[in-house]
Amino acid sequence: MSETEPKFATLAVHAGAAPDASTGARATPIYQTTSFVFNDTDHAASLFGLEAFGNIYTRITNPTQAVLEGRMAALEGGTAALAVASGHAAQFLVFHTLLEPGDEFIAGRQLYGGSINQFNHSFKKFNWNVVWADSTDPQSFEKAITPKTRAIFVESIANPGGVVVDLPAIAAIAKKAGVPFIVDNTLATPYLCQPKQFGADIIVHSMTKFIGGHGNSIGGVLVDAGTFDWLGAKHRYKTLVEPNASYNGMVIGETFGNFAFAIAARVMGLRDLGPAISPFNAFMILTGAETLPLRMARHSENALAVASWLEKHPKVAWVSYAGLPSSKYHELAKKICPKGAGAVFTFGLKGGYEAGVKLASGLKLFSLLANIGDTRSLVIHPASTTHRQLTDEQRIAAGAGPDVVRLSIGIEDKDDIIGDLERGLARL
Ligand code: PLP
């Protein structure tokens, strides 16, 4: 074995894991237990007081979950991670750790629609106020900064695809404003893009997508890049810098240094709000993560082949995929995700709404459903499904106009994927 730092593909298989100490089991066991026995009451007290690391109760920690966290922290180059029940739960815990009522955060508006809802509606109930900027225009983030701004949030490759975000430019704006830069890296995954290298302080994922990769388990994670100086920050992030009454006055930022954010999200957010990942889902996602590099390379290669083929098809009006030289994000993609532009992209049909409905319903290999990041190829016609409730104007603004079809290209043989689309398009 090489003595140098293990490379990405090795980390994807091994990081965080070791043969089970008591049984020798090589695969990480599913620790399907609610609770863990203490040695004695002193041991219990030290665990509850955060004076020792160890397991108490699966809502807060679990050994299967811990291996997944070790793996994700390593793949993202962070200091620590926290795996939770879903991507949305990860976002919720990130903002719960950072914000106080009345605070603002800026988010690029090119986001997964569910995140737009979460920020616009549910977060408002906590008086956490989103201010929207344009992910394709870094200056719009600078203009949106106010004395109440406490974070900036973007997706690295924005869902529904095609938009690659200039992470270094937005990171510089966050740094100048003295606020953490949060990147949702779901579509890119750390195989294609490691946001920490471009200035991200916190990385989140819906592991439901490419990390698990097989469309069988919901999960999310937040990764602490270990880069943000909470104690020296321009603003007071209370959860990190104030004495904590539920931990005998401990200041989490002081005690846990460069992994304090991940600890705070666990021992305050997860403890009190409760969106724990089940050990079974952690196991499924961990198993998926082992093949992440192989799958992402194949997803990207297939997506480029399909997008290039579609671009030349007479019934296709346009294709938005950053892997194509014709994309206005192509140059940025070469810098941010040089190994490929991922699996998800949109294209427009000359036949408009009717053609979109017919194509999405008529494909055989593609599954018509509202997910991405499966080994299988997936299709959706947003205007007639996920974006049905919106007005035409709102749909177009969200990149879900009547002619738009979204694909998540799987890892099947690319000739079969193209063949399915060819037959589908011929029927229009
Ligand atoms: N972020 C992105 C980019 C997503 O695509 C999704 C889900 O589609 C989420 C976050 C939310 O993740 P989850 O469905 O695991 O809660």
Side-chain angles (χ1 to χ4, degrees), residues 69-244:
E69 288 163 350
R71 182 113 2 129
M72 288 308 296
L75 293 179
E76 286 289 9
T79 51
L82 174 62
V84 291
S86 66
H88 265 16
Q91 292 170 194
F92 183 29
L93 293 193
V94 163
F95 286 103
H96 179 261
T97 307
L98 292 176
L99 302 187
E100 300 299 322
D103 284 349
E104 290 176 5
F105 66 101
I106 306 171
R109 71 170 72 89
Q110 291 79 356
L111 287 189
Y112 162 57
S115 300
I116 297 178
N117 274 335
Q118 186 187 48
F119 296 172
N120 268 343
H121 304 297
S122 292
F123 280 13
K124 286 272 156 67
K125 293 192 169 191
F126 298 88
N127 200 5
W128 304 338
N129 300 302
V130 63
V131 176
W132 294 106
D134 179 355
S135 307
T136 68
D137 172 15
Q139 288 319 308
S140 68
F141 288 81
E142 181 130 47
K143 285 186 201 131
I145 286 170
T146 76
K148 292 181 180 172
T149 307
R150 291 294 176 272
I152 293 183
F153 183 99
V154 297
E155 289 176 6
S156 44
I157 298 181
N159 193 349
V163 179
V164 175
V165 174
D166 192 345
L167 300 181
I170 301 173
I173 291 163
K175 211 172 178 53
K176 197 168 142 204
V179 303
F181 182 37
I182 309 158
V183 176
D184 179 342
N185 201 29
T186 298
L187 264 68
T189 81
Y191 176 76
L192 297 178
C193 165
Q194 212 182 56
K196 181 179 172 179
Q197 289 180 8
F198 301 111
D201 301 298
I202 298 161
I203 299 109
V204 292
H205 281 270
S206 167
M207 296 194 292
T208 314
K209 311 294 178 326
F210 297 97
I211 302 294
H214 294 70
N216 56 30
S217 310
I218 302 274
V221 71
L222 63 89
V223 178
D224 187 342
T227 45
F228 197 83
D229 177 10
W230 304 104
L231 298 170
K234 178 170 167 186
H235 307 289
R236 280 183 77 69
Y237 292 91
K238 287 189 181 178
T239 308
L240 278 301
V241 303
E242 291 198 346
N244 194 291

